[in-house]
Amino acid sequence: AGPRGRCSGVVSGLEVSSLEFLGRMGACRRLGLAKCAAAADWVVDRLENTADKVVVFAYHLVVLNALHHIFLERLGAGVHRFFQGSTDEATRQQYLKEFHAKQKTQEDKGCRVMLMSLQAGAVGVDLTCACVALFVQLPTDVATLKQAEARIHRKGQRRACEAVFMLSDSGADGEAKAWERLRAQATKIAGLVGGGQGDGVGGFSDQKG
C-alpha cells in the first residue's frame, strides 16, 4: 500500500471577478472558469520549484478545455496531456506512457501535468509517478473524490501524497457549503467503516493555506 502520511491543502478565498459575460452558465461552471487562471499559476509555480508531476482534476468540459488552452500557452507543447472520457484507448495508453516516463536530462521538461476529468479519473488509472493532485472543481460525491485521489495514492506509491482543493467563497456561489458536505460525508463513511471518526475528505487531513 502507499504511504500513510497524506495531507491536503485548501486554497480558499479566491476572488471571482466580473462574471456577467458568462451569461446563463451554471454556477459551478462559472466558478470553475473563474479559477482557471489561479490554477495555472499554482501549477506553474509547483513545476518551477519542485520536480513533482501534478494531476489536475476538473468536472465540466468547458473548464477542462479552458485549462487545456491555458496550459498550452503557459507551459508550452509537450508538458501536459489532456485525459478525458472521450479519449480513445490507444491515446490513453500513450499519454500514460509519456506521463510515467522519467526525465532524461534536467533540461528535458517531459510530460509533468496530467489534466483529467473527474469522471475519467474515477476509472482504474495508475498515476503513481505523481504525488500531487489539484482539484480545480469539487466532485458531487465522496466516492468520486476518493476514486480520483486513488489515482496517485495506490499500491506502488512510495511517497507521501498531497491533495489540494481550490475553493471560492465569493458571493452566492461560494463553495464552502459544498466542501463541508463532502467532509461530513467522508467523516460519516470513515466512522461506519472504521468504527471511529474520519480524518477529513477522502481520508486526507485538512490543512488550510
Side-chain angles (χ1 to χ4, degrees):
R4 296 173 63 88
R6 299 185 289 168
C7 66
S8 71
V10 181
V11 182
S12 61
L14 295 173
E15 290 299 322
V16 179
S17 58
S18 178
L19 296 174
E20 288 81 4
F21 72 97
L22 296 173
R24 300 176 182 176
M25 190 169 292
C28 291
R29 291 178 176 85
R30 291 202 306 270
L31 282 177
L33 287 170
K35 290 187 286 183
C36 285
D41 288 342
W42 190 93
V43 170
V44 169
D45 181 73
R46 189 77 181 215
L47 298 186
E48 290 179 346
N49 291 284
T50 73
D52 294 336
K53 295 188 177 186
V54 181
V55 182
V56 180
F57 289 107
Y59 189 83
H60 292 103
L61 183 58
V62 66
V63 179
L64 289 159
N65 282 330
L67 287 167
H68 172 56
H69 290 294
I70 293 173
F71 286 159
L72 281 176
E73 181 179 343
R74 297 285 302 274
L75 303 175
V79 180
H80 90 284
R81 294 291 180 269
F82 183 8
F83 192 119
Q84 56 182 317
S86 61
T87 306
D88 64 78
E89 184 61 26
T91 303
R92 289 185 182 212
Q93 294 305 316
Q94 181 61 32
Y95 286 177
L96 291 173
K97 180 180 179 181
E98 293 169 351
F99 191 56
H100 278 276
K102 295 182 178 180
Q103 292 177 253
K104 297 178 181 178
T105 65
Q106 190 172 1
E107 290 74 24
D108 175 24
K109 294 182 179 180
C111 177
R112 295 182 59 194
V113 178
M114 183 67 78
L115 174 62
M116 299 187 72
S117 70
L118 279 162
Q119 295 93 322
V123 181
V125 178
D126 182 352
L127 299 174
T128 51
C129 61
C131 62
V132 182
L134 174 65
F135 290 81
V136 180
Q137 292 182 287
L138 293 176
T140 55
D141 59 88
V142 169
T144 301
L145 176 56
K146 288 174 69 68
Q147 285 293 322
E149 289 173 345
R151 297 314 101 220
I152 65 171
H153 189 269
R154 58 192 290 127
K155 186 176 181 179
Q157 179 61 270
R158 297 180 179 277
R159 295 166 293 174
C161 294
E162 179 182 0
V164 177
F165 303 88
M166 300 193 72
L167 308 181
S168 170
D169 57 10
S170 294
D173 293 339
E175 296 172 301
K177 291 183 179 179
W179 171 253
E180 290 304 321
R181 282 196 298 271
L182 283 174
R183 282 174 52 83
Q185 291 175 24
T187 300
K188 182 177 180 180
I189 292 171
L192 290 172
V193 174
Q197 295 185 344
D199 59 350
V201 172
F204 284 64
S205 61
D206 190 17
Q207 174 187 321
K208 293 189 177 182

